[in-house]
Amino acid sequence: MCDQTFLAATFGPCDNCSKASPLMNIYLKNEPINYCSFCVEMMACQGLQKGETLTSLKKESETLKKKLEEERGKLTDVELHQVAEKVEAVAALSIKTRRVLKGHGNKVLCMDWCKDKRRLVSSSQDGKVIVWDGFTLNKEHGVTLPCTWVMACAYAPSGCAVACGGLDNKCSVVPLSLDRTENLAAKKKSVAMHTNYVSGCSFTNSDMQLLTSSGDGTCALWDVESGQLLQSFHGHTADVLSLDLAPSETGNTFVSGGCDMKANVWDMRSGQNIQSFESHESDINCVKYYPSGDAFASASDDATCRFYDLRADREVAVYQKDSIIFGASSVDFSLSGRLLFAGYNDYTINVWDVLKGNRVSVLFGHENRISRLRVSPDGTALCSASWDNTLRIWA
Amino acid sequence: MAEGSKDQGGTGTSEPEEDSPNMIVYRKMEDIVTRIQDEKAGGVAIRTVKSFLSKIPSVVSGTDIVQWLMKNLAIEDPAEAIHLGSLIAAHGYIFPINDHVLTLKDDGTLYRFQSPYFWPSNCWEPENTDYAIYLCKRTMQNKARLELADYEAENLARLQRAFARKWEFIFMQAEAQVKIDRKKDKAERKILDSQERAFWDVHRPVPGCVNTTEMDIRKCRREKNPHRVKKSVYGVPDDGQSQPSPVHISSQPARKPTKEDVQKEITFLNTQLDRHCMKVSKVADSLMTYTEQFMEYDPFASVVEPSNPWVSDDTTFWDVETSRDPSQQRVKKWGFSLEEALRDPAGQDQFLKFLESEFSSENLRFWLAVQDLKRRPFHEVPPRAQEIWQEFLAEGAPSSINLDSHSYERTSQNLKDPGRYSFEDAQDHIFQLMKSDSYARFLRSNIYQDLLLARKKQPADTEQGRRTSLEKFTRSVVSHLELGLFISQKPHWLHHYQWLFFAVITILHSFVAF
C-alpha cells in the first residue's frame, strides 16, 4: 500500500533526521512535530518512548543549562575587579612602534614569533609567507603558496620550519633552509586536510605535531611526518576561528573559539570537550591562555574581550567600552598576565588591565584592521599584523 | 555598556543575518548617527550655512561631531573621538561636503549625514556599470562642484574601454538620470548629489584610502545577501553577466540539532554539574598572586636590565639570557614552582645535577624521556615506549623508578598497545613525587642557593683545597642564619639562642681554617 501520497503541508528539514523533504505535520502527546514520512514510519514501528522526542530533550537541556548557571552563580561571591582593588595600578605605559615591517603586497592575516624572540613569520592574502628577523627588518625567507588568503601560520619550536594554511583547506609545513637560493615552495609538505578553510594552526611542543582549526567546525591534531590524523575534535556547531595550546609543560589541553560564540576546552588525548563557555554575543575571533594556564581570554565581534577562569568554570571579567564598537580580532597577554593586548577592526590596539578591568592604553598607528597580534616569547615586544599590508613591533 | 549591542544580541528571534558581524557594527554606527541627528535628544544642530552667494543646506561642523562623541560615548581624548568619527565617515555614514576623502576633522569643516537609502547595511555591492553611469552623468552636468577628480577621470576612461560595446546603453541611462535629477528642488539636489558622491566614495574610494567594504572572507558566508542578487543603484536590470563572487563560498545550511546532538549536550551538561569548581574569590586571589610574582619579569610592567633590545637596539639582554650563567633573577623563578624550574633548560640542568648528587636522578630522567616520547613522530612512538619501559619500569630495570602498584598496572596494560600517552599516569605520579619531595630539597641545596645568592666559587688553592665537608656545612649554616636574621617573623625564643649558635659556629669555623 503506497503511503507516500499524503498531503504535505510543509517542506523542510525533518525534526528527526534533518533531511529536507516533504513533512508530515503530526501531533505527539499534544506537541506538534514535523517528521518526514520515513521517520514517521520508523517511529511508528519502534513505538513511542516516553520523554524521547526532540522537543522534550531540548527542554531537558534547557533546564540543565539553567541549573548549571545557577550553580556557577552561587560561586560568584565577588567580582575579579573588586578583589583587584587592593592591587597597585599599572604604571603608565609608553609603548611605541619600534619597527615597521613592510614587504607584503596585500593584507597581512597572521603572524607568529620564533622561540628565538626576534624572528617571526607572517602570511598574507596574496599567498605570500615571509620569515623576518624582526630586529634587523631583514627578510630571511619567502614562500609563495598557490592559494590566496593564507589565514594561518606558525613557527616550529625548533625554528627550522613554518606551517601555513588557509583557503586551500590545507595546512602545510615548509622546512626553512639555510641556503637562501633554495626554492622553499618545492619542499612544502601538506600535513592537514580539512573540508573547509584552515583558520588557525599551532605546533604542539614539538615540530612533529600540528594542531589546526578549520571553517569546517572541527579542530584536528596531525602527525607532521606522516600526515596522519591523530585526533579530531568535534563539538563546535560553526566555523572554528582560533585555537591556543595550554602553556603547561605537562598539560594536554587546548582551547578553541568559533562562530558559534562558544569557547571550548579540549583534552588532546581523548578528543573530548572538557569545558565550554558561552557568553559572547557574536563570533569569537581569537582565544589565548593566561600564562599560568588556569584561565584564558577571548576576542569577539561583539566588541568585547572576555576573561574566563577554568577552575571557576565561568567568565570572570569583560573588557569593553562605549566608544569601542568594532570587533576585536586578536588578543594576547603580557608575560605576567597583568596586561591584555587586544587588536580591533577599528585599526587600534587597546591595552587592558586584566585584573582591574580598565583600559590602560590605546595604540594608534595601523591604517587598517588588526588581524593578529602576539607578544614575543620573552615578553619584550608586541607584534601586530594588519590589513594595511604591514606588521608593527611595539615596545 | 555598548548600547547598540544590547538590542542586537538579546533578541533571540532576530534573523541570523542581523547577527552577522558586519551588521552588528553597522547597527551600532547607525545608532550613533541617529542619536547625533536627534536635536531634541541632545544631538547636534543641523543647519544651513550661508556662504558667499549660496546657501549650504543641512550641515554640521566637525567640531560639533567630535564634541558630541566625547560627551555621549564617554571619550576623554579628542584623538580617540576623531578616530572613531573618521571610521564612521569611512563607512559612509557622515561625509565632508567638499572632499572625497572620508575622515573627520576637529575644526569648522562642514559635514553632512548620509541618507539611510545609501547605508552600508543595505548590502550594496554596486556594479561597475552603475559606477560608469554615475561618472558619465557627472560629466553631463555643468557644475563646478560636480567636476571629476583626477582619479575619477582615470576611472571613467578605464570604464569606457572596458564597456566599449555597452557604452551607448550607459550613456542613455546617464541621460535619463540627469533628467530625473533636474526635476528635483535645488536645495534637495545639492544634498542628494553630495550623498550620492559620498556613496561612491565608499564603494570606489580615492586611491590610497581604505576600502571599508572589504570583508573578512571567513565571515562572508553569513552575509545578508548570500546569493548576491544585485540591485542596481540606478535601476539597471541585472543582465546576467555579473560575475559570481569568488568570495561567497556556498555555505553549509545551518544544521538543526538532531536528537543525538541534544543527548550529547545533556550528557555534557550533567558532567559539568558534577564538576567541583572554585569560588571566584579564591580564583581571583590565585590570579593576583601569579601576576604579582611575575610582574618583575614582565618587560611591559617593569624595567628591563640593562635595556629592552627593541627600544635601545642593544642586544645585551638577550646575550645574557642565553649565556651559561643564569642571572639571580632567573634563578629565583625556578623557586616559584617545579614547572617553572623545568621550563628553563638551565633550571632543568641544575635540578638534574642535584638529583644526581642524591642518586635519585632516574625520576627526572623518566619524566624527560616521556616528554620526549610525546614529541616523536608517530612511527617512532611504539619502539621508544618499549625502550622507556625497559630502562625505567621493567623488572631489573637499570634506572628503576618507584611507582605505586595501581599506576604500574595501568602502565603495563597501556604498553600492550603503546602510544604517546601510555605513560601519562606514571608521569603524573612521578611529577608529584618530585614536586613534594626532591624539589623542596633542591631549593634548599647548595647547588641552588649558590646560584640564587650569586656566591662566587673560591679559586682553587692547595691550603683551601683541604676544605672538608664540615667546612661546607658550617658555611651553609652560617649563610642560613644570616638569611634568618633578615626574616622578619622569626620565633621569639630563637633570639635567645642565636648568640650561642654564632659562638659555636665561629669556633668551628676558625678551627677548620687552620
Side-chain angles (χ1 to χ4, degrees):
Chain A
M1 175 96 157
C2 177
D3 66 349
Q4 289 300 307
T5 51
F6 56 88
L7 190 62
T10 54
F11 183 93
C14 165
D15 275 354
N16 197 39
C17 67
S18 302
K19 285 207 207 94
S21 49
L23 300 177
M24 297 177 79
N25 311 117
I26 61 174
Y27 283 80
L28 266 176
K29 295 187 195 304
N30 297 326
E31 290 160 1
I33 62 164
N34 299 309
Y35 277 17
C36 67
S37 64
F38 180 72
C39 291
V40 171
E41 266 264 272
M42 292 280 287
M43 185 180 65
C45 295
Q46 287 163 4
L48 297 173
Q49 281 172 304
K50 195 167 180 232
E52 281 282 299
T53 64
L54 185 67
T55 327
S56 64
L57 282 176
K58 274 187 186 163
K59 275 205 196 112
E60 195 183 333
S61 168
E62 287 304 307
T63 322
L64 282 174
K65 272 188 200 156
K66 283 204 189 83
K67 193 169 166 202
L68 188 61
E69 193 47 45
E70 256 177 59
E71 287 295 308
R72 296 291 181 258
K74 285 185 201 157
L75 295 171
T76 311
D77 47 350
V78 76
E79 295 286 319
L80 173 62
H81 63 86
Q82 289 171 310
V83 177
E85 269 162 26
K86 56 187 180 211
V87 175
E88 244 183 73
V90 179
L93 301 171
S94 62
I95 302 175
K96 296 191 182 60
T97 303
R98 305 291 173 178
R99 302 282 192 281
V100 181
L101 280 67
K102 296 189 191 170
H104 277 292
N106 212 316
K107 308 181 181 66
V108 188
L109 304 174
C110 190
M111 61 77 47
D112 190 24
W113 287 94
C114 175
K115 283 212 159 70
D116 76 355
K117 312 157 202 170
R118 48 189 289 172
R119 282 179 177 71
L120 49 105
V121 62
S122 60
S123 63
S124 83
Q125 189 194 340
D126 61 1
K128 287 218 168 39
V129 174
I130 301 179
V131 174
W132 316 70
D133 176 342
F135 199 68
T136 59
L137 296 185
N138 200 18
K139 294 186 199 47
E140 304 202 330
H141 300 94
V143 189
T144 305
L145 296 180
C147 77
T148 57
W149 288 87
V150 185
M151 301 176 235
C153 64
Y155 224 117
S158 67
C160 299
V162 292
C164 45
L167 267 196
D168 55 354
N169 299 0
K170 294 192 277 201
C171 193
S172 314
V173 175
V174 181
L176 299 176
S177 157
L178 286 170
D179 179 359
R180 301 289 296 277
T181 58
E182 203 175 335
N183 180 11
L184 291 180
K187 289 206 159 162
K188 180 175 70 101
K189 184 180 160 154
S190 279
V191 170
M193 305 278 193
H194 279 280
T195 53
N196 213 314
Y197 65 87
V198 170
S199 54
C201 65
S202 174
F203 284 91
T204 61
N205 286 326
S206 90
D207 285 17
M208 292 295 128
Q209 278 116 38
L210 189 64
L211 192 59
T212 56
S213 61
S214 166
D216 64 12
T218 69
C219 297
L221 180 67
W222 311 83
D223 178 68
V224 172
E225 210 182 36
S226 60
Q228 181 161 355
L229 172 67
L230 297 172
Q231 184 66 253
S232 69
F233 306 89
H234 297 262
H236 278 289
T237 51
D239 306 15
V240 185
L241 296 178
S242 172
L243 62 83
D244 187 41
L245 278 155
S248 161
E249 292 288 300
T250 52
N252 295 307
T253 58
F254 72 95
V255 62
S256 66
C259 296
D260 56 358
M261 308 186 275
K262 288 200 197 131
N264 291 337
V265 180
W266 308 87
D267 180 341
M268 284 206 286
R269 294 174 288 181
S270 59
Q272 290 299 314
N273 178 3
I274 314 173
Q275 282 175 271
S276 185
F277 301 86
E278 192 173 5
S279 64
H280 271 294
E281 293 164 11
S282 185
D283 301 1
I284 296 180
N285 293 314
C286 185
V287 285
K288 194 75 176 62
Y289 269 97
Y290 178 77
S292 75
D294 294 319
F296 69 92
S298 59
S300 164
D301 277 331
D302 64 7
T304 69
C305 294
R306 292 173 199 245
F307 191 42
Y308 300 90
D309 188 284
L310 299 175
R311 299 161 296 185
D313 194 36
R314 63 189 284 111
E315 170 194 293
V316 290
V318 185
Y319 308 106
Q320 62 186 344
K321 250 180 168 299
D322 279 348
S323 55
I324 299 176
I325 60 174
F326 285 80
S329 59
S330 188
V331 275
D332 201 357
F333 287 95
S334 69
L335 194 137
S336 64
R338 183 62 193 273
L339 299 171
L340 182 71
F341 297 98
Y344 291 76
N345 291 339
D346 66 3
Y347 323 168
T348 67
I349 298 170
N350 288 297
V351 187
W352 301 91
D353 180 329
V354 171
L355 301 175
K356 290 183 181 283
N358 61 300
R359 185 179 66 181
V360 174
S361 188
V362 54
L363 308 177
F364 294 96
H366 275 295
E367 293 165 12
N368 206 326
R369 295 192 197 190
I370 313 284
S371 49
R372 170 100 158 172
L373 56 75
R374 276 288 171 267
V375 172
S376 69
D378 64 352
T380 48
L382 170 72
C383 181
S384 54
S386 165
W387 280 20
D388 67 4
N389 305 3
T390 69
L391 294 113
R392 277 176 184 245
I393 298 180
W394 312 75
Chain B
M1 274 298 210
E3 273 129 289
S5 67
K6 255 197 195 158
D7 298 322
Q8 290 2 292
T11 57
T13 51
S14 57
E15 287 177 34
E17 292 89 21
E18 281 300 312
D19 293 338
S20 91
N22 287 330
M23 278 301 158
I24 295 178
V25 181
Y26 290 150
R27 296 296 176 222
K28 286 184 194 170
M29 286 194 281
E30 283 158 19
D31 177 66
I32 291 174
V33 294
T34 312
R35 282 162 60 198
I36 299 184
Q37 290 176 77
D38 189 352
E39 266 188 74
K40 295 190 199 114
V44 294
I46 303 171
R47 50 208 206 289
T48 304
V49 165
K50 289 206 181 105
S51 122
F52 299 125
L53 306 162
S54 63
K55 290 195 211 157
I56 307 174
S58 187
V59 286
V60 186
S61 77
T63 311
D64 286 346
I65 297 177
V66 172
Q67 289 303 314
W68 188 95
L69 289 172
M70 283 178 69
K71 184 169 158 209
N72 290 276
L73 294 178
I75 299 175
E76 283 154 15
D77 183 5
E80 250 190 86
I82 294 170
H83 183 83
L84 177 60
S86 293
L87 276 166
I88 296 177
H91 281 86
Y93 287 100
I94 57 176
F95 56 90
I97 57 170
N98 283 325
D99 199 345
H100 283 289
V101 176
L102 301 168
T103 53
L104 181 68
K105 291 194 193 131
D106 188 9
D107 57 18
T109 315
L110 297 173
Y111 293 84
R112 199 168 276 147
F113 290 92
Q114 182 58 284
S115 149
Y117 175 71
F118 281 129
W119 279 354
S121 49
N122 294 329
C123 295
W124 290 104
E125 280 170 58
E127 284 288 280
N128 279 330
T129 35
D130 279 345
Y131 188 44
I133 293 169
Y134 169 68
L135 290 175
C136 201
K137 160 171 98 143
R138 287 258 302 272
T139 60
M140 291 173 184
Q141 293 162 308
N142 240 346
K143 289 190 164 54
R145 66 180 160 85
L146 295 174
E147 243 173 45
L148 292 183
D150 287 343
Y151 79 94
E152 285 177 310
E154 276 173 37
N155 286 345
L156 180 59
R158 226 179 355 100
L159 288 166
Q160 273 172 329
R161 284 195 298 273
F163 290 134
R165 273 183 283 164
K166 326 207 256 191
W167 200 256
E168 211 183 297
F169 169 74
I170 288 174
F171 194 84
M172 267 170 34
Q173 297 299 313
E175 278 186 324
Q177 289 296 317
V178 169
K179 266 202 201 128
I180 296 170
D181 289 347
R182 273 207 196 108
K183 292 187 190 150
K184 294 185 189 141
D185 160 73
K186 201 166 158 202
E188 208 193 323
R189 269 184 68 192
K190 269 191 197 164
I191 297 174
L192 288 172
D193 281 348
S194 68
Q195 287 173 334
E196 193 187 14
R197 192 198 70 206
F199 171 80
W200 287 109
D201 287 340
V202 170
H203 291 275
R204 297 290 185 276
V206 177
C209 284
V210 173
N211 183 343
T212 56
T213 62
E214 276 184 321
M215 291 196 286
D216 186 336
I217 202 170
R218 304 171 302 178
K219 323 268 175 160
C220 285
R221 281 194 265 167
R222 287 163 299 141
E223 278 306 291
K224 201 166 166 181
N225 205 359
H227 302 292
R228 299 203 75 213
V229 173
K230 294 184 199 186
K231 51 183 176 183
S232 160
V233 187
Y234 304 111
V236 173
D238 188 2
D239 60 1
Q241 281 181 0
S242 45
Q243 297 282 312
S245 166
V247 135
H248 287 286
I249 316 152
S250 64
S251 63
Q252 299 149 333
R255 260 180 70 238
K256 263 167 75 173
T258 62
K259 266 172 66 173
E260 282 78 35
D261 288 338
V262 186
Q263 265 160 351
K264 268 192 212 158
E265 197 177 45
I266 291 172
T267 319
F268 179 77
L269 288 166
N270 278 317
T271 320
Q272 296 306 308
L273 276 166
D274 286 336
R275 173 193 294 277
H276 170 69
C277 293
M278 280 171 69
K279 283 196 207 172
V280 175
S281 51
K282 270 192 86 174
V283 143
D285 279 332
S286 159
L287 292 168
M288 274 165 48
T289 312
Y290 182 91
T291 303
E292 207 63 29
Q293 212 175 33
F294 284 89
M295 285 279 273
E296 69 176 277
Y297 299 92
D298 186 345
F300 281 109
S302 313
V303 179
V304 167
E305 298 290 345
S307 64
N308 186 326
W310 298 99
V311 176
S312 62
D313 284 342
D314 167 21
T315 61
T316 313
F317 177 70
W318 285 334
D319 301 332
V320 163
E321 285 290 307
T322 52
S323 77
R324 301 247 65 189
D325 297 315
S327 66
Q328 275 176 290
Q329 203 191 29
R330 189 169 151 197
V331 172
K332 183 170 144 191
K333 228 204 266 189
W334 305 345
F336 293 166
S337 68
L338 177 55
E339 273 231 22
E340 277 304 317
L342 292 177
R343 188 172 296 176
D344 186 339
Q348 205 176 287
D349 279 341
Q350 293 299 325
F351 188 45
L352 189 63
K353 219 166 108 185
F354 167 74
L355 289 174
E356 277 166 1
S357 76
E358 288 205 331
F359 303 102
S360 60
S361 66
E362 66 278 357
N363 284 337
L364 182 58
R365 283 190 291 116
F366 170 70
W367 188 86
L368 290 171
V370 177
Q371 286 295 91
D372 173 72
L373 174 73
K374 291 194 274 196
R375 293 165 194 179
R376 293 288 179 106
F378 188 65
H379 71 275
E380 283 181 28
V381 168
R384 185 77 190 109
Q386 290 296 348
E387 279 172 25
I388 293 176
W389 174 265
Q390 290 304 321
E391 172 77 16
F392 297 97
L393 287 160
E395 276 216 26
S399 311
S400 180
I401 58 171
N402 232 340
L403 267 193
D404 63 292
S405 57
H406 182 68
S407 305
Y408 193 86
E409 273 310 305
R410 288 272 289 271
T411 310
S412 86
Q413 278 290 82
N414 290 342
L415 260 289
K416 297 206 170 112
D417 182 17
R420 274 162 39 253
Y421 297 112
S422 296
F423 294 101
E424 278 310 277
D425 278 339
Q427 200 193 24
D428 269 340
H429 182 87
I430 293 295
F431 188 82
Q432 292 307 321
L433 197 63
M434 287 194 293
K435 189 166 149 184
S436 58
D437 187 31
S438 327
Y439 176 62
R441 284 203 307 279
F442 168 63
L443 294 181
R444 295 195 297 266
S445 73
N446 278 350
I447 291 178
Y448 180 72
Q449 289 293 327
D450 281 349
L451 287 171
L452 182 67
L453 301 171
R455 279 191 291 239
K456 295 210 167 43
K457 291 195 165 46
Q458 298 295 333
D461 167 83
T462 47
E463 167 121 74
Q464 291 162 338
R466 265 187 265 130
R467 291 241 153 105
T468 62
S469 48
L470 177 61
E471 158 78 55
K472 288 186 191 157
F473 168 77
T474 59
R475 273 186 190 281
S476 93
V477 172
V478 168
S479 66
H480 276 100
L481 275 175
E482 282 167 1
L483 279 176
L485 279 173
F486 294 100
I487 294 169
S488 48
Q489 282 156 351
K490 47 189 187 211
H492 139 92
W493 54 263
L494 183 60
H495 187 72
H496 297 287
Y497 296 95
Q498 245 167 244
W499 68 269
L500 179 59
F501 282 13
F502 266 113
V504 170
I505 297 311
T506 318
I507 292 165
L508 274 174
H509 195 83
S510 49
F511 178 75
V512 174
F514 272 84

